[in-house]
Every structure is written in C-alpha cells, then in structure tokens.
Amino acid sequence: MRAYQIVGGNRLAGTVTAHGAKNAVLPILSAAVLCRRSVIENCPTLSDVAVSCHILRHLGIAVDRQQSTLTLTRIDEGCRDIPVEWMRAMRSSILFLGGMLARCGLVTLSRPGGCSLGGRPIDLHLLAMRQMGAVIEEEGDTLRCTAPHGLHGAAVQLPYPSVGATENLLIAAAGTPGETAITGAAREPEITDLIAYLQGCGARIETDTDGVLLVQGRRELTGCRHTVLPDRIEAATYLAAAAMTGGEITVFARPEHLAAPLAALRRAGCRITADAESVSLTAPARLLGMGSIVTLPYPGFPTDLQAVFMAMAAGAHGFTSLTETVFEHRFAHVEELRRMGADITAAGRTAVVSGVPRLQGASLACPDLRAGAALVLAALAAEGQSTVTDVSHIERGYAGFVPTLAGLGAAITPVEV
Ligand code: EPZ
C-alpha cells in the first residue's frame, strides 16, 4: 500500500499555482457528452478525471490529452449503459445521467461511489430528471432511466442547493430544447464554471432577478474551448499548510472564491494580502483559535475545508468550534487527530477543539480525500515522524500533492508499506 512518510517541523515557504478545480472539471467532462468537440484547458491530472475520461471513451467521445489540455471529439452515437465499476469509482459518475438522458433518451447506470461522508442520497438528482420527463426504475443499486418522449423543459424547485443535482439539471436542460427554470440552485463557483462552459457550447443560461436559473437548451451543442477555474479548495489547503508551519506563501488562485476561509485564517492571526489572482499569507509565531466555523453552501465556509481547518485548530492557541451542516458524517479525521494528541470533543455535528502547543507524529490512515489532506498537514506541523497510509484518497483530489509540498520545504516522501 502506498503511504507518505513525513517528518514534521519544517517551515513551509514559497509560491504555488492552484491546478484546475476537480469539482469544476468533473461536471464539465460529463456535459461534454452533449457536444461535438470541446477543448478543456487547465485540466488537473487526477484519478477521478481519468475515470471520467474512461466513461467518455465508452460513450463515443475520443479523448486526447496533451499536458493539461483535453480535446474531446464525438466519434459515434455512444448510447450505451455505464459499467458499474466506473459508477462506483466516484460520486461524479452520476453527473453523466442528465447528459445521457438528453442525448440518448435512455441509460442504465448504478448508484455512484465516492468518499464516504454519510448517506449521500441522489434523490434530488432523480427528482429533477423525473420533472423533466424521465422515467426511472430503481432496482437495488441499478437505475434504469428512460425518457420515452424525450426530456422536456420544466420548472424545477430544488429543496436544498445540492451541487451535484444542480449540475445534473443544468446539463440535462442545456441538451433539451425548451426552457427549464431552476429555483434553489447551488451557487458554488464550480457551478458558474459549468454554466460558462455550457454557454460557450451554445446553451442560453441566465439568472433572473430572483436568482432563478433560466436555461434555453438545444438538441445539439457545438462544444467550445474552456479553461477550468483554479481550485479554491486546493489553494486554501496550501495556505493552511503554510499557516500551520509558521510559514509564508503566495498561492495563485481566485481570492474572490476564498472569502470565508480567508476570514478564518485572519482570525487565526495570519497576515493576508490579495489581488485579483493571488493570495499571500504570513503566519504568526503561533496560530490562534478561530472561534466558530460552520460549514454551509457557498458562499458559506466550505465543507471541503472543515477537516483541514480542524487540523489547523488542533495546534492553535485557544478554542475553535467546527459545525458540519452539509454532510451527515464528515468527522472521520477526529479520531486520527486525537492519536496525534489533539484535544477535540465531538458531539453530533459539532467538534470543539482546544489547541495544544504541539501535535505529535503518529501512524495515520486517510479516511477520505479532504480528511487525508488534513492529516498530512497535521503531520507536517507535528513533532517527529508520521506515516500516512491510504493516500489514494488524497490523489483523487490533489494533483502533485507531494512534489508541491516538498517544493515548499516539507520533508515528505512517498513509500510502500
Ligand atoms: C459536491 O458534492 C462536491 N463534489 C463535494 O466535494 C462537496 O463537498 C459538495 O459538493 C458540497 O460542496 C463534487 O463536486 C464532485 P451536494 P455533491 O449534492 O454534489 C445532500 C470533495 O472532497 N443531498 O451538494 O455530492 C447530501 O447528502 C467532495 O471534493 C441529498 O440529500 O454535494 C449532502 O448532505 C466531497 N440528496 C448535501 O446534500 C441529493 O440528491 C450536499 O450534497 C443530493 C445531495
């Protein structure tokens, strides 16, 4: 099994450029099933992207990768079911549902896999497709989906701003002639990036004065050249790594997408300056507790940074309380951080962290992607040596994680254990 060996205590300093965002590129790749030819630039090298490319090839799209540019060309009709092993490989495989229903009017697939963060139902995705005319038969994990008369435009109200359900709906609506109105849509920057891609491909999408998304779809989308936006979660992870090691860093990303995490870093005592395309951080000698952090849909504090900021709080002077409202179970890192000496009391969806002067190195296992990144950061800040196993979770979401950290001065080495 692959693992990272880490010797803590080095101060991280330097400059990092965030890669294209995983959570933006995956829906864009799913939407590409509707298009004749697309060129996607700034595409990160991640295992989830590789799974999407396998699915695209299976669905009749030729995929050519040159460095970080993917060229996607439709070569056949590709109206095929999606094999269960690719559905189980990641959560985002469910985003092919909307595009395949719009393009082919039928697809059979299974419930998706992905990080284990609690129940993760897909009821909102299915509700949205049904309102657009899909008939979905559920048999165990298998979903037989058809649109006997084709999908049609609809007025869909999402009871919760689910990122994935909004994306599936946008993709289905963009490939369906007529108007679809989406009330209660998610507003994450990755949604805005998907909208920009779909607009480039020929769909008309606007937001009315009440925040309702209005989509005028077309049966045939052309495709376009699109540059994926920088990954805000990756950017904030490296800012946190520098903050936790008393370091100094400049990260090229979009600070406008980082308002909530930057506010927490300021409360921790970091000095932060930003321009339109970069953020610079200088850490204090010791971080301070950050008070209350509550994860919420964008523009609230991102759930994807809750684990990383808990690791930061574990070594800060004072208290931080972190409340997870987005996912049912996203505290798997608490037990691992405790093994490093962290003082954390978790009850229900809230964890209260009382910072200790120094975490201690330990043998740690990544429970999921962001928790894994948090454990690596904790190990970099800790005294002594740590081994972090199950790192394939991390490599699903952070391109070049080890070389980037090593480039900032971290003592981190990939090993086989
Ligand atoms: C996306 O997941 C991201 N994944 C997640 O990133 C991110 O944590 C999450 O949005 C929230 O920001 C990708 O973009 C690929 P949701 P998604 O649908 O779409 C419930 C990471 O580490 N819900 O907004 O799955 C759900 O159970 C990952 O990069 C339903 O109840 O998130 C959860 O509690 C992990 N029914 C909440 O909504 C549904 O049909 C938010 O889920 C759908 C969701």
Side-chain angles (χ1 to χ4, degrees):
M1 187 202 306
R2 277 172 326 102
Y4 301 154
Q5 212 151 62
I6 295 168
V7 181
N10 289 4
R11 177 178 181 270
L12 301 197
T15 299
V16 170
T17 300
H19 294 87
K22 167 182 87 83
N23 291 346
V25 75
L26 296 175
I28 287 170
L29 293 179
S30 304
V33 298
L34 293 169
C35 303
R36 284 202 292 276
R37 187 168 183 277
S38 297
V39 179
I40 312 296
E41 294 174 335
N42 201 25
C43 184
T45 304
L46 296 169
S47 51
D48 279 6
V49 171
V51 174
S52 290
C53 291
H54 283 307
I55 297 177
L56 281 170
R57 288 191 186 98
H58 175 74
L59 299 177
I61 310 281
V63 180
D64 175 58
R65 183 169 197 131
Q66 300 294 332
Q67 282 96 38
S68 64
T69 300
L70 287 184
T71 302
L72 311 171
T73 312
R74 162 96 59 88
I75 51 171
D76 74 42
E77 237 357 88
C79 291
R80 302 182 187 98
D81 298 337
I82 304 180
V84 66
E85 62 269 25
W86 291 333
M87 290 304 298
R88 294 224 174 111
M90 59 175 187
R91 171 83 177 174
S92 299
S93 46
I94 194 63
L95 299 181
F96 284 92
L97 174 60
M100 289 306 286
L101 274 176
R103 177 171 140 195
C104 300
L106 83 171
V107 66
T108 295
L109 34 70
S110 71
R111 287 179 185 278
C115 285
S116 159
L117 311 173
R120 302 195 83 179
I122 53 167
D123 55 319
L124 302 178
H125 299 243
L126 303 186
L127 168 108
M129 295 304 125
R130 286 180 170 127
Q131 291 196 16
M132 292 188 70
V135 175
I136 301 172
E137 287 170 32
E138 302 176 55
E139 198 182 302
D141 271 352
T142 305
L143 306 169
R144 279 180 240 290
C145 312
T146 54
H149 310 292
L151 293 182
H152 53 73
V156 181
Q157 175 139 23
L158 290 173
Y160 179 86
S162 154
V163 172
T166 302
E167 291 165 347
N168 234 333
L169 192 45
L170 276 167
I171 295 168
T176 300
E179 181 168 285
T180 297
I182 311 173
T183 308
R187 292 186 287 155
E188 270 64 7
E190 295 75 20
I191 303 270
T192 310
D193 209 37
L194 173 64
I195 290 175
Y197 169 70
L198 291 169
Q199 286 170 328
C201 294
R204 280 184 49 197
I205 306 176
E206 29 189 81
T207 309
D208 77 6
T209 45
D210 297 324
V212 177
L213 285 176
L214 300 173
V215 185
Q216 281 285 347
R218 304 159 66 126
R219 184 151 310 286
E220 273 288 312
L221 294 179
T222 50
C224 67
R225 181 175 283 270
H226 180 83
T227 302
V228 179
L229 92 171
D231 195 317
R232 62 194 167 106
I233 306 300
E234 184 197 21
T237 302
Y238 291 122
L239 290 168
M244 289 164 68
T245 57
E248 203 168 355
I249 193 168
T250 295
V251 181
F252 285 89
R254 302 247 182 96
E256 62 188 287
H257 298 154
L258 288 164
L262 291 182
L265 284 164
R266 286 196 175 99
R267 293 201 298 278
C270 297
R271 207 176 70 229
I272 291 177
T273 54
D275 60 25
E277 289 178 356
S278 71
V279 188
S280 298
L281 173 148
T282 307
R286 183 158 178 217
L287 294 170
L288 304 172
M290 290 169 276
S292 168
I293 293 178
V294 180
T295 69
L296 285 169
Y298 189 82
F301 189 92
T303 172
D304 291 347
L305 290 172
Q306 179 257 109
V308 164
F309 276 62
M310 194 183 297
M312 193 184 328
H317 177 70
F319 289 92
T320 305
S321 98
L322 296 110
T323 301
E324 174 59 57
T325 76
V326 177
F327 286 103
E328 203 175 39
H329 179 73
R330 207 170 194 182
F331 278 162
H333 41 284
V334 168
E335 210 37 60
E336 298 299 294
L337 289 171
R338 280 195 188 124
R339 286 146 57 74
M340 305 180 80
D343 180 351
I344 305 174
T345 310
R349 291 193 165 196
T350 298
V352 177
V353 185
S354 170
V356 296
R358 199 79 197 265
L359 296 174
Q360 301 299 318
S363 292
L364 305 162
C366 299
D368 61 68
L369 161 59
R370 307 299 173 186
L375 295 179
V376 169
L377 267 47
L380 291 172
E383 193 167 357
Q385 182 166 314
S386 297
T387 306
V388 182
T389 59
D390 296 322
V391 296
S392 58
H393 286 297
I394 298 178
E395 292 166 4
R396 289 188 36 229
Y398 292 88
F401 197 48
V402 168
T404 304
L405 288 170
L408 293 170
I412 178 168
T413 322
V415 290
E416 283 291 329
V417 292

